[in-house]
Every structure is written in C-alpha cells, then in structure tokens.
Amino acid sequence: MNLKNLLFVGVLLFANSNLSAQTLSPRFGIKAGFNLSNATVNDARGTASKAGYHIGGTFEHPLSERFLIQSGLFFSAKGSKVHVLNGSHYIPSPPDDTHTFNELYLMLPIYGAYKLNVTNDFNITFGVGPYFGYGIGGKTKQKLNSGSWIDGITEIEWETFGNGVYDQSRDWLHGTTLKRLDVGAGANIDFEYHKFVLSVGYEQGLRDIAIQENAPGLSYRNNVVQVSIGYKL
C-alpha cells in the first residue's frame, strides 16, 4: 500500500471516528407522567391502587448504535391503600380499617437498553434494569371504615418514613412505617418521534420495606405502572 492509499484510509478512519463521536454523544432530557401504584403485602385483606405522578431529568449514554445505558433522577409519588393491614396480629378480630400509604421518593433507575430504528424519525427503545429509591416524605393515614376509637376519632395520621408516632402525648403508640431505601427492578418502552417521547414502564420492588418493629411479620413491596411524556435535548 503506497503513501497516497494510507493517507486516504487515514482520512476515512478520522471522518468515521468523528461521525461516531457525534452519533454516540450522551443525551439529556425531561420527563413527566402518571403513576398507578400499589403494594404487595403479605398480611392484609386486600390492597387497592393509588394515583400519583413522577417528574425529572433523563440521561442516555450510548454504548453503540443499538445499545445504551438509560438513567436519570426523578421525583416520584407512590403509595397504596391496604385494607386490614397486619390483621393476623389482632385478637379476637381485626378492625375494619384502611391504611393509605403516601410515599415521596427520589428515584435513580439504571437500565440497559436496546434501540430499534423503525424509520429515520421514529425509534423504539426497550430498557430493563435495577432502580434505587430514597423516601423523602409522605404521610400514612389509618381510617376506620366502621366504628371509632375510644376517643371518638376515626382517622389518624403519621409520617410514612418517620417513627410512626401519631399522638405526641402518647408517644408509645406507633403506626406502621416504611424504610427509606427501596430497591427493585424496572422495565420501560420508549416511543420516540423526532425528540418527543411517549414512555410506558413498570417498577417492581424487591426489597421488603416494612419496619418490623411496629408490625411484626409484615412485608411490603412497591409496584408501579407508569405512563409519561418527555423531550430529549
């Protein structure tokens, strides 16, 4: 191979590397949407879903033309409605009550993803991987559906991620609380047209976040269905 051919190959490689660097540059974006959350609870008569929301920034780091890492940081409102929570520990019979858990999290997903280029303007990206959540707020309410407590009230409230005390004058009384750190697995599908994105996702908690001190033997795991819209810069 002569010098002219070497120079030509070098120019091609340089141009290709520049093109790849531009094509594979990281992308940032914003996303917001709707949560339909619930919980898997081992000791309850039943659970019901609770509506919430999420909002935050997205980050994509391409590994190749097809494979990438998806992440971001989100503020997410989750929770559930649990009927007759921890009922087996009441003798002779549990009260007819409903616990409504309101959970506010900072969420960090880390997904491996595969991008399918349907057309020049339309992509579908499939992502799956772990997520990490940290509880930063929210209240839990316990409501009697029939009857009342001895002092005539039918509803009490405490911090979801606090110590569970709902009456400072009787601080030995505790409600069920949750651990702040939540760890689970998630999956999502992004439908991207130009820079606009419609996403559908699911998160399943893998860590039991019930605090056993206030509810012996109880387990509680989050699960959430999400629908959102976003924009990639």
Side-chain angles (χ1 to χ4, degrees):
M1 183 178 290
N2 58 33
L3 181 59
K4 184 183 294 185
N5 289 336
L6 284 173
L7 289 174
F8 179 71
V9 171
V11 169
L12 285 179
L13 290 174
F14 180 78
N16 184 65
S17 64
N18 280 345
L19 180 60
S20 298
Q22 293 175 6
T23 303
L24 301 180
S25 60
R27 297 181 68 187
F28 295 87
I30 55 175
K31 183 166 77 170
F34 173 75
N35 289 347
L36 186 63
S37 59
N38 207 323
T40 302
V41 183
N42 72 322
D43 191 0
R45 183 172 296 168
T47 64
S49 298
K50 184 178 178 299
Y53 62 92
H54 60 274
I55 185 170
T58 62
F59 171 74
E60 288 185 354
H61 179 71
L63 302 176
S64 69
E65 294 289 343
R66 300 280 182 163
F67 295 96
L68 59 148
I69 300 296
Q70 291 182 322
S71 188
L73 187 63
F74 302 92
F75 180 81
S76 185
K78 304 182 182 182
S80 68
K81 295 182 179 181
V82 184
H83 306 298
V84 191
L85 178 71
N86 212 28
S88 65
H89 290 268
Y90 289 90
I91 299 175
S93 61
D96 178 19
D97 64 358
T98 298
H99 282 71
T100 301
F101 290 87
N102 296 289
E103 309 155 37
L104 303 177
Y105 284 97
L106 285 179
M107 300 293 297
L108 175 68
I110 305 175
Y111 293 172
Y114 176 80
K115 179 183 289 187
L116 177 64
N117 300 114
V118 181
T119 69
N120 291 334
D121 297 326
F122 180 60
N123 300 317
I124 301 177
T125 304
F126 304 88
V128 63
Y131 74 80
F132 303 90
Y134 187 80
I136 58 173
K139 301 277 190 177
T140 294
K141 297 179 182 180
Q142 181 183 8
K143 178 178 176 57
L144 289 179
N145 300 316
S146 58
S148 63
W149 282 289
I150 192 169
D151 47 7
I153 63 175
T154 61
E155 185 174 301
I156 51 179
E157 182 181 76
W158 58 89
E159 297 287 339
T160 298
F161 301 108
N163 60 12
V165 173
Y166 50 84
D167 186 342
Q168 296 302 322
S169 64
R170 297 180 293 174
D171 60 4
W172 65 90
L173 296 176
H174 295 266
T176 300
T177 56
L178 303 178
K179 301 171 186 176
R180 290 186 183 274
L181 180 62
D182 186 22
V183 180
N188 69 268
I189 304 176
D190 289 348
F191 302 92
E192 180 181 353
Y193 180 70
H194 290 290
K195 294 184 178 183
F196 297 93
V197 184
L198 172 66
S199 297
V200 179
Y202 178 75
E203 295 175 349
Q204 175 61 61
L206 300 179
R207 186 180 192 227
D208 175 14
I209 59 174
I211 293 182
Q212 302 293 329
E213 179 183 352
N214 300 334
L218 180 69
S219 68
Y220 184 106
R221 292 176 173 83
N222 284 313
N223 51 78
V224 186
V225 175
Q226 298 181 321
V227 179
S228 58
I229 56 174
Y231 183 82
K232 295 183 180 180
L233 304 177

